[in-house]
């Protein structure tokens, strides 16, 4: 039985849907600079261990993060620098969007003050 190939745009949508959880994004941000043990992630994210474990499992299943054991600690790392690059690009896009919105807001306020 042969499965039908998933169109690239659909695969991309699934990828972004997988990333579309605040805890997953926060984990990836924390792992951008270096691998970290689960206890550090828990301290920085402040959620229930079971919730963090569930989100890490999703990232592992998609191959976005890797993990290994050092003694009793489980250490997580981003599997590819491309993921860290994607987060940086997203930050840049959001910064530009917000700057554009601020410019528009300033123009609207200026126009409002001249009318009133």
């Amino acid at each position: 039985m042969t499965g039908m190939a998933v169109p690239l745009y659909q695969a991309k949508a699934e990828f972004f849907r997988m990333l579309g959880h605040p805890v997953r994004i926060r984990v990836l941000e924390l792992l951008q600079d270096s691998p970290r043990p689960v206890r550090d992630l828990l301290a920085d994210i402040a959620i229930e261990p079971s919730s963090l474990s569930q989100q890490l499992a999703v990232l592992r299943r998609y191959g976005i993060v890797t993990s290994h054991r050092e003694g009793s600690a489980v250490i997580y790392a981003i599997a590819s620098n491309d993921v860290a690059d994607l987060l940086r690009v997203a930050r840049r896009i959001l910064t530009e969007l917000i700057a554009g919105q601020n410019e528009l807001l300033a123009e609207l306020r200026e126009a409002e003050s001249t009318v009133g």
Side-chain angles (χ1 to χ4, degrees), residues 16-82:
F16 283 110
R17 234 186 321 276
M18 177 275 302
L19 286 179
H21 191 286
V23 171
R24 291 182 212 143
I25 294 294
R26 186 66 185 130
V27 164
L28 294 173
E29 287 176 343
L30 291 169
L31 295 176
Q32 278 183 100
D33 298 324
S34 64
R36 300 185 63 174
V38 172
R39 69 176 171 272
D40 288 2
L41 295 173
L42 271 172
D44 287 334
I45 300 175
I47 62 170
E48 292 296 317
S50 60
S51 296
L52 179 60
S53 178
Q54 182 180 26
Q55 301 310 324
L56 287 168
V58 171
L59 292 170
R60 251 192 345 263
R61 190 166 46 250
Y62 276 85
I64 302 300
V65 298
T66 60
S67 65
H68 70 276
R69 194 170 279 284
E70 287 181 12
S72 63
V74 178
I75 311 295
Y76 278 86
I78 290 182
S80 165
N81 285 334
D82 290 342

Side-chain angles (χ1 to χ4, degrees), residues 6-20 62:
V6 174
L8 183 56
Y9 64 86
Q10 189 174 338
K12 286 179 184 178
E14 276 300 311
F15 174 76
F16 283 110
R17 234 186 321 276
M18 177 275 302
L19 286 179
Y62 276 85

